[in-house]
Amino acid sequence: MKKINLRDYYPFYTKDTVVEVPEEVALLFREYELLEEAYRIRTYRYKAFYSLDYAGGIERDLAALEQKSPYDILERNYDTEQLYRGLVSLSEKQCQRIYAHYFLGMSKADIARAEGSSVNSVKDSIRRGLRNLEKFFKESLR
């Protein structure tokens, strides 16, 4: 017989509760403990969560699986169209810089290096472009 503390295995035990169990049960508890730790390491390493509730055993982001209504799709298309109309209303340089920074994820320093200009001019251009976009959207709402 082996002694185990049930508090180590069951979270709802608030006090130490030591019981004697057969050797096989203690080994089974130890095996489950090792499997649970292996699962934790696997999910941390591969950033995936395994489940019996989903086909293939891997939980996916449910937002990616959710179906959009036709209205949501139409609204998103309209918003995208408005955004591109706003970008086209800017000067070519402002449009390119805003697109590179916000859509392509380039830093302002990377944009300046690619264009051969100073970082301050890129920052000012993006700031002015955003102000112009704000004006464009305010006018389009009227």
Side-chain angles (χ1 to χ4, degrees):
M1 296 292 266
K2 191 162 183 167
K3 292 182 181 182
I4 63 167
N5 187 352
L6 293 178
R7 185 175 177 201
D8 295 339
Y9 299 100
Y10 299 106
F12 52 83
Y13 276 91
T14 56
K15 296 180 182 176
D16 290 332
T17 306
V18 178
V19 294
E20 283 190 35
V21 295
E23 195 71 33
E24 296 85 21
V25 173
L27 287 174
L28 191 62
F29 272 115
R30 178 70 180 144
E31 181 182 345
Y32 285 136
E33 193 175 49
L34 292 174
L35 287 172
E36 203 166 309
E37 181 62 19
Y39 169 77
R40 188 192 65 75
I41 290 170
R42 226 179 16 254
T43 57
Y44 175 78
R45 185 176 295 146
Y46 299 112
K47 309 222 180 335
F49 296 95
Y50 296 89
S51 170
L52 298 175
D53 297 335
Y54 196 80
I58 297 178
E59 286 287 332
R60 294 188 191 162
D61 186 11
L62 293 178
L65 300 176
E66 132 185 348
Q67 296 292 323
K68 301 229 183 253
S69 72
Y71 178 76
D72 292 337
I73 294 170
L74 184 64
E75 186 176 21
R76 183 173 178 189
N77 288 344
Y78 177 75
D79 291 343
T80 304
E81 182 182 329
Q82 287 297 101
L83 179 62
Y84 283 119
R85 280 187 185 167
L87 285 173
V88 168
S89 73
L90 300 175
S91 70
E92 185 177 343
K93 200 164 260 196
Q94 285 176 346
C95 180
Q96 287 175 350
R97 288 175 175 175
I98 287 175
Y99 188 82
H101 184 63
Y102 290 104
F103 289 84
L104 301 179
M106 292 176 67
S107 69
K108 293 171 184 169
D110 289 340
I111 296 170
R113 227 183 336 249
E115 292 179 355
S117 60
S118 71
V119 177
N120 286 334
S121 68
V122 171
K123 286 180 183 179
D124 290 339
S125 177
I126 289 175
R127 192 176 321 114
R128 282 192 307 274
L130 291 175
R131 264 192 260 125
N132 291 339
L133 272 177
E134 187 177 355
K135 288 177 190 174
F136 174 81
F137 290 129
K138 283 182 181 177
E139 290 173 5
S140 68
L141 290 176
R142 292 181 191 168

